[in-house]
Amino acid sequence: MNLLVILQSFLLISGALMFCIGSLGLIRFPDTYTRIHALTKADNLGLGLIVLALILNIESVALALKLLLIWGLVMIASALSGHLVAWEADEQCIPLCQPGETEPHLESENE
Amino acid sequence: MNSLYSITLVILLLSLLMGVFRIWRGPRMADRIMAAQLTGSTGVAVLLIFAELQNQPAARDTALVLALLAMLVAIAFVGRVWGFTREKKDS
Amino acid sequence: MNELIDLTLICILLGLATLSLFTQSLFRSVMFFILLGLILSLVWIRLDAPDIALAEAAIGAGITGILLLDALAHLRATSNTPPQLLQLKQPRFWLALLSGTGVILALGLAVSEPLSPVVALDLKVSENLAESGVTHPITAILLNFRSYDTLLEVAVLVLAALVALTLRQSDEHPVANEFLPNQLLHACLKLFFPMIFLVSMYLLWAGSTQPGGAFQAGAVLASAFVLFYLVGLKTQLAQNEHYLKRGWIFGLAIFVLVGAVPLLQGQPFLTYPDAHAGVLILLIELGLTLSIGWILFSLFLLSQSASTFQKKDTP
């Protein structure tokens, strides 16, 4: 029992920290493409860890499957939207940032 | 156990705040859409934890709906808003 | 710790509301508004109001966001035309002003009325729950105890769709819908469409025993239709105005029909026979789900290009 709680707390906290890392990447990374990279990985793993931790608590198989389904759906959705945004960004020729370079400051670009 | 859930929730809400900052900051529309996507997934995680913390099974249904509709905004954005700017550039 | 969570939620909510009102860029404020819907559904769950949270998640984070983004595309299309001046000579301006002031005055009067003595409504509901045919109190209230209200709400939705129809005929700058040539998108959507329909029906079915019901299911269904349309798949059904209108009144018609049957036996309108109440409520909810989904989709569809639409009075 005690081991279970320790495992759960480890999974929960690391999942939440994963989300934080994703958001941090979203803020710190220099251009659109790298930001997509930061985000699609972090939220899949973060949600996965949290779902695993919650499943350990649940007796019914149906509920556990529902949680797994939610995780799967979020994974597909974020992969899809990451791909779509990258696709359109490429189509619109949004520039890449070279290493060491910072993104040119643009305020409300074509909005 | 409940205090553990609460700590996780606080960290998640902090990450949500960071996502909001990216939407505010931009600078491109694509960044805002991606940040909205991240806050959507964070919202799903928060709902799942609320379901445990408050013993509210319907929160899982809400999370299911959110997970299904999360990509709608991205698709609508790519199809409608960006599609229009592309047309303008061509002409 | 609990106070910290509540405080953070409140801060995010207030901050988002302020930001979405006061940012200069329209796109930014639309994004903030979509996020506001998401946070609001978290807050409703926190306040133990799962029915509203479900509706907010389906409508606020889904359909409203798409409608606003669509409106943004329209604004872009019309941004080169000068804004039309308010025409003071037209009688309809004064008519609108008068009726608006009248409504505000009437509402003010209603608010200033002294409150009627407090009735323990929750106790009354739980006393009569066994007769309603469902076990979830909110569904019992919506479709049995106060079914008149729900009937009128659906009628208001139909009215909104009709208004959208009239507005579309005066729209001079329709935005074209384009086919999105992306293979991954189409492969994923093949997986997502059945899921969305399934979840919509699940919410409908769950409505009789737990949070869920026709409005939430209808909103989820509408987002499936909108998704169908957004990726460029056009349905024959949506191109014909007659099918469109029939879809709008379908749920309302079922509701009125089921409600009118007791009249033949001399009972008041909208009383269900006790033995079949559960089945009848499910039937009404199924009709309402399809109609609400169709109406919400129509609101989106009617803002589209008129050329995708077969109209009789234009060549």
Side-chain angles (χ1 to χ4, degrees):
Chain A
M1 185 57 213
N2 215 358
L3 199 69
L4 196 69
V5 172
I6 293 175
L7 184 63
Q8 250 183 324
S9 41
F10 173 72
L11 287 174
L12 272 179
I13 298 293
S14 54
L17 283 180
M18 215 57 219
F19 269 108
C20 262
I21 292 173
S23 309
L24 209 62
L26 200 65
I27 288 182
R28 291 289 305 158
F29 275 161
D31 66 1
T32 306
Y33 302 99
T34 46
R35 276 177 213 138
I36 293 171
H37 158 83
L39 183 145
T40 44
K41 272 111 212 157
D43 67 342
N44 288 345
L45 190 57
L47 190 65
L49 290 172
I50 288 178
V51 161
L52 272 184
L54 294 177
I55 280 178
L56 291 179
N57 233 10
I58 283 173
E59 312 77 67
S60 99
V61 179
L63 266 186
L65 284 180
K66 196 179 189 178
L67 289 188
L68 283 179
L69 176 72
I70 291 174
W71 180 29
L73 284 177
V74 170
M75 262 206 284
I76 297 176
S78 81
L80 177 63
S81 55
H83 169 75
L84 278 180
V85 170
W87 177 61
E88 272 284 343
D90 190 43
E91 203 117 305
Q92 305 240 328
C93 310
I94 287 180
L96 276 167
C97 263
Q98 296 307 319
E101 205 178 296
T102 50
E103 189 175 38
H105 187 75
L106 19 88
E107 197 51 50
S108 68
E109 162 251 9
N110 66 29
E111 277 177 21
Chain B
M1 203 61 215
N2 276 355
S3 62
L4 186 63
Y5 286 141
S6 304
I7 295 171
T8 318
L9 272 178
V10 170
I11 303 178
L12 283 177
L13 288 177
L14 269 182
S15 125
L16 232 160
L17 265 179
M18 285 201 263
V20 172
F21 172 74
R22 184 38 98 185
I23 295 185
W24 179 63
R25 180 74 212 289
R28 288 174 201 280
M29 289 193 275
D31 302 320
R32 301 208 165 106
I33 290 289
M34 293 318 292
Q37 183 74 35
L38 179 71
T39 38
S41 325
T42 318
V44 169
V46 171
L47 280 174
L48 289 181
I49 293 178
F50 270 159
E52 288 290 317
L53 187 67
Q54 310 201 32
N55 201 12
Q56 181 68 265
R60 295 197 192 95
D61 289 348
T62 316
L64 189 61
V65 171
L66 267 190
L68 271 177
L69 304 187
M71 81 294 182
L72 260 174
V73 169
I75 295 177
F77 168 70
V78 169
R80 316 284 307 164
V81 182
W82 256 358
F84 180 72
T85 41
R86 184 167 43 198
E87 268 167 39
K88 205 164 66 176
K89 211 164 61 181
D90 289 346
S91 60
Chain C
M1 213 54 171
N2 272 335
E3 290 80 20
L4 190 60
I5 295 172
D6 290 340
L7 211 66
T8 327
L9 272 178
I10 291 170
C11 285
I12 297 179
L13 197 67
L14 280 180
L16 279 177
T18 325
L19 279 173
S20 63
L21 276 180
F22 292 107
T23 15
Q24 291 113 345
S25 143
L26 278 179
F27 181 74
R28 224 188 289 185
S29 67
V30 167
M31 290 315 296
F32 283 131
F33 191 76
I34 293 172
L35 269 198
L36 187 71
L38 195 143
I39 302 295
L40 211 54
S41 77
L42 299 188
V43 171
W44 284 124
I45 286 288
R46 184 79 185 152
L47 292 173
D48 274 330
D51 287 87
I52 314 177
L54 261 177
E56 186 62 46
I59 295 175
I63 286 287
T64 315
I66 298 174
L67 273 178
L68 285 175
L69 281 177
D70 196 57
L72 204 63
H74 274 265
L75 279 179
R76 292 257 169 102
T78 54
S79 60
N80 292 332
T81 55
Q84 288 194 333
L85 294 173
L86 209 58
Q87 285 168 343
L88 293 181
K89 277 180 195 166
Q90 280 185 351
R92 64 179 175 189
F93 169 73
W94 296 106
L95 207 64
L97 194 71
L98 260 180
S99 53
T101 336
V103 166
I104 290 173
L105 280 180
L107 279 179
L109 263 179
V111 168
S112 64
E113 283 273 303
L115 289 172
S116 53
V118 183
V119 186
L121 283 173
D122 49 341
L123 287 182
K124 279 205 151 178
V125 168
S126 47
E127 267 170 30
N128 295 313
L129 195 58
E131 297 164 17
S132 68
V134 291
T135 53
H136 184 52
I138 292 179
T139 310
I141 293 171
L142 280 182
L143 283 152
N144 200 337
F145 303 147
R146 303 296 304 259
S147 45
Y148 261 116
D149 293 5
T150 313
L151 187 68
L152 290 180
E153 272 171 34
V154 178
V156 166
L157 261 182
V158 175
L159 201 65
L162 281 174
V163 170
L165 190 68
T166 16
L167 280 180
R168 181 183 66 88
Q169 280 155 359
S170 64
D171 185 13
E172 293 160 6
H173 303 277
V175 176
N177 192 46
E178 56 179 311
F179 183 75
L180 288 174
N182 190 305
Q183 285 178 348
L184 185 70
L185 176 67
H186 289 268
C188 285
L189 288 183
K190 264 182 205 150
L191 210 147
F192 262 89
F193 281 132
M195 275 306 302
I196 297 183
F197 284 122
L198 194 67
V199 167
S200 157
M201 286 305 126
Y202 162 71
L203 285 179
L204 172 65
W205 181 255
S208 53
T209 53
Q210 66 193 63
F215 280 91
Q216 288 90 339
V220 173
L221 196 64
S223 58
F225 290 148
V226 169
L227 210 55
F228 224 72
Y229 191 82
L230 270 178
V231 294
L233 301 168
K234 298 206 170 53
T235 50
Q236 280 290 316
L237 212 59
Q239 301 201 349
N240 191 321
E241 231 170 87
H242 287 289
Y243 286 128
L244 207 66
K245 286 179 190 161
R246 263 172 227 168
W248 293 348
I249 55 169
F250 174 70
L252 199 64
I254 285 190
F255 207 155
V256 171
L257 264 182
V258 172
V261 167
L263 286 178
L264 296 176
Q265 296 158 354
Q267 284 175 316
F269 188 53
L270 282 173
T271 43
Y272 314 124
D274 281 350
H276 307 293
V279 181
L280 287 179
I281 286 180
L282 200 64
L283 180 72
I284 293 175
E285 282 208 292
L286 184 64
L288 285 186
T289 303
L290 295 177
S291 267
I292 290 170
W294 194 243
I295 288 171
L296 288 178
F297 171 57
S298 309
L299 287 179
F300 176 78
L301 183 76
L302 288 173
S303 65
Q304 309 303 310
S305 157
S307 59
T308 60
F309 222 75
Q310 286 169 357
K311 268 178 64 186
K312 286 191 213 97
D313 46 331
T314 50

